[in-house]
Amino acid sequence: MATQAFKKIYTKITNVTKATCMLKATGVGNEELAQIHGRLAQVVKIVGEEVTLQVFEGTEGIPTNAEVVFMGKAPTLKVGDQLAGRFFNAYGLPIDGGAIPEGREVELGGPSVNPVRRKQPSELIATGIAGIDLNNTLVTGQKIPFFTDPDQPFNEVMAMVAMRAKSDKIILGGMGMTNDDYLFFKNTFSNAGALDRIVSFINTTEDPSVERLLIPDMALTAAEYFAVEKNEKVLVLLTDMTNYADALAIVSNRMDQIPSKDSMPGSIYSDLAKIYEKAVQFPEGGSITIIAVTTLSGGDITHAVPDNTGYITEGQLYLRRDTNVGKVIIDPFRSLSRLKQLVIGKKTREDHPQVMNAAVRLFSDAANAQTKMENGFDLTDYDNRSLAFAEDYSRELLAIDVNVDTDEMLDTAWKLFAEHFTPTEVNLRQSLVDKYWVGEKKA
């Protein structure tokens, strides 16, 4: 062993696997970074003096006498106001051609917030997407995933949320993105003039897959700076967490760990939880809200990734294509925000809870009518009207391309009620009918 400028250097590797190198070393910390044969690596396991390093670019061509230089620190990000409007890779280095930002160096992956410092979330996060704001309202400090098939336009939805959400900062973490997706986000943010409030950390399909493991920590370290030190409302968008989990599985497999369900590592629950549990509402006003995309393989909701995600998060948002109107909608039956009752009717208009429930109930009646029609049964007049309502409701409110504020969503719902039903059929409180019913009032 030699030391050079306070760095420890070793030249005897005892074992090389597809993704890891093992050697004997002392005074090394967990998650510490190292350079092996000029490639970046990270300590993932220490047993006595036996240290295992995960090599980010793979170990091919690394000889057993390669130089291993320990850097004496875990991965870090320079945090500061200069992050805003920039695009970075998994190591926090600029990929937009700009200068490396100045700031304070902070280690990634610190502990989540002490429960004593957490506050009950009570602030609305409006996204402008009615399928979310009307039926599954989001609250600051919430953690919620989008469950979606890989062929759905989830990145377009994430970009819409980034552009429309009423928050101070948006942090985007992209994992396994195609170059087209990266350019789509970059062009969308630039063209809308919204770059000054967006920070992006991007790993593309051309980058090593294990680098995806750094992206959520990078995004959340930046989010904590703005939420804690600037008391800002921060929305973190992570896409796609299935790619993150696949990278975890690759690493654990290369380290010869015994996989659990669906080839995922046994630690998948805690690996996901340490990301999602960073969502928090601070008493001082800052907050971190996390919306993450989880793509489903063949629509399988029982797969280990969505299954574990569902235990950790506070609800889920489902994207599906409504064949009746030919648009992608937020599915009202399978979507759920477990915290919406903290804000609907309190931070939104008084009629919000009743309108939301009535609309979903009438949409359910339409689903029953659809089943009757498909099975050759005669439809009643009410069945036909509920089917017509469902089409209008999907097109004018549930579709992801609808961008209106909450009051306008509620007014649209009242208009659809009056077009297709009587107040008795809609079954809303009489005082609300008197105040908001659009057409000719009937008891």
Side-chain angles (χ1 to χ4, degrees):
M1 183 192 90
T3 57
Q4 173 190 313
F6 307 110
K7 292 176 181 172
K8 295 179 181 175
I9 302 173
Y10 295 81
T11 52
K12 190 176 179 186
I13 297 171
T14 55
N15 189 19
V16 180
T17 71
K18 284 177 284 186
T20 63
C21 293
M22 293 171 74
L23 68 154
K24 284 192 160 44
T26 55
V28 173
N30 213 8
E31 299 193 345
E32 185 174 326
L33 289 177
Q35 287 268 359
I36 300 180
H37 209 52
R39 299 177 204 177
L40 196 65
Q42 185 177 17
V43 175
V44 288
K45 189 175 171 186
I46 302 173
V47 180
E49 290 189 356
E50 192 84 80
V51 176
T52 304
L53 288 152
Q54 169 190 308
V55 184
F56 285 106
E57 294 172 50
T59 58
E60 194 175 326
I62 293 179
T64 54
N65 64 347
E67 195 172 77
V68 181
V69 182
F70 287 96
M71 298 182 184
K73 63 172 190 174
T76 58
L77 173 69
K78 283 187 174 177
V79 298
D81 292 347
Q82 290 183 19
L83 289 174
R86 302 294 306 278
F87 283 79
F88 303 95
N89 65 10
Y91 306 116
L93 300 172
I95 54 173
D96 54 10
I100 295 174
E102 292 299 312
R104 192 180 79 253
E105 208 166 19
V106 175
E107 272 196 19
L108 302 191
S112 52
V113 178
N114 186 327
V116 175
R117 288 202 59 211
R118 291 172 181 258
K119 184 184 168 206
Q120 169 80 300
S122 61
E123 295 296 318
L124 166 77
I125 281 218
T127 65
I129 298 173
I132 300 175
D133 295 351
L134 187 64
N135 294 337
N136 300 286
T137 320
L138 302 185
V139 182
T140 54
Q142 186 167 3
K143 45 194 178 288
I144 195 163
F146 265 112
F147 288 154
T148 172
D149 290 323
D151 60 347
Q152 298 291 8
F154 54 85
N155 280 328
E156 282 87 333
V157 177
M158 287 301 234
M160 283 181 205
V161 171
M163 306 308 300
R164 301 173 187 173
K166 302 281 195 294
S167 59
D168 300 314
K169 287 287 184 299
I170 306 280
I171 315 285
L172 172 68
M175 292 155 278
M177 273 188 179
T178 63
N179 262 324
D180 285 348
D181 282 337
Y182 162 52
L183 292 172
F184 165 75
F185 275 108
K186 193 172 181 184
N187 293 335
T188 303
F189 295 162
S190 300
N191 295 342
L195 273 179
D196 60 334
R197 65 189 189 97
I198 299 174
V199 186
S200 304
F201 297 92
I202 306 291
N203 158 274
T204 68
T205 48
E206 293 176 7
D207 300 322
S209 59
V210 288
E211 290 181 5
R212 292 168 199 169
L213 304 182
L214 292 170
I215 292 283
D217 284 341
M218 282 281 171
L220 289 161
T221 301
E224 284 173 336
Y225 165 75
F226 290 110
V228 175
E229 301 193 23
K230 299 290 181 179
N231 290 337
E232 291 186 341
K233 277 167 73 171
V234 183
L235 179 59
V236 178
L237 305 175
L238 300 173
T239 173
D240 161 12
M241 289 302 286
T242 300
N243 287 340
Y244 171 83
D246 287 344
L248 280 176
I250 289 167
V251 171
S252 70
N253 177 271
R254 286 174 177 171
M255 289 170 65
D256 297 325
Q257 292 176 358
I258 298 169
S260 64
K261 186 172 179 282
D262 299 313
S263 305
M264 286 294 141
S267 61
I268 186 70
Y269 181 90
S270 53
D271 290 328
L272 293 171
K274 75 177 173 46
I275 294 169
Y276 286 115
E277 291 303 338
K278 295 279 186 138
V280 60
Q281 169 76 57
F282 291 108
E284 296 83 9
S287 62
I288 296 172
T289 308
I290 299 175
I291 304 179
V293 167
T294 299
T295 49
L296 306 176
S297 176
D300 182 11
I301 198 64
T302 65
H303 185 281
V305 179
D307 191 29
N308 281 285
T309 300
Y311 281 108
I312 300 161
T313 54
E314 290 137 354
Q316 70 277 330
L317 300 165
Y318 261 89
L319 284 183
R320 76 165 166 87
R321 182 166 291 281
D322 187 323
T323 49
N324 291 323
V325 295
K327 289 191 170 192
V328 176
I329 67 168
I330 309 284
D331 190 332
F333 298 142
R334 304 181 78 187
S335 300
L336 168 70
S337 167
R338 292 199 184 100
L339 301 184
K340 64 185 173 192
Q341 71 279 2
L342 299 173
V343 292
I344 61 170
K346 300 181 178 82
K347 297 294 169 81
T348 59
R349 218 164 69 184
E350 57 175 343
D351 55 325
H352 188 162
Q354 291 241 328
V355 169
M356 173 191 73
N357 290 336
V360 174
R361 178 173 50 78
L362 296 167
F363 198 69
S364 174
D365 289 347
N368 293 335
Q370 181 87 21
T371 304
K372 281 170 69 175
M373 185 168 68
E374 287 165 1
N375 289 317
F377 291 99
D378 291 336
L379 299 184
T380 64
D381 172 56
Y382 178 80
D383 288 336
N384 285 317
R385 284 186 287 124
S386 66
L387 285 169
F389 164 78
E391 282 202 18
D392 288 346
Y393 182 53
S394 287
R395 188 181 299 106
E396 296 185 40
L397 283 173
L398 297 181
I400 57 172
D401 58 1
V402 176
N403 178 17
V404 291
D405 66 31
T406 316
D407 283 2
E408 211 174 322
M409 293 170 196
L410 293 166
D411 291 340
T412 302
W414 281 105
K415 175 179 74 79
L416 296 179
F417 292 160
E419 280 175 17
H420 299 286
F421 304 105
T422 65
T424 310
E425 289 169 330
V426 177
N427 195 20
L428 286 164
R429 199 183 305 142
Q430 190 60 43
S431 60
L432 295 177
V433 171
D434 293 339
K435 191 169 178 181
Y436 296 107
W437 192 264
V438 179
E440 181 188 338
K441 288 192 176 66
K442 299 168 193 167

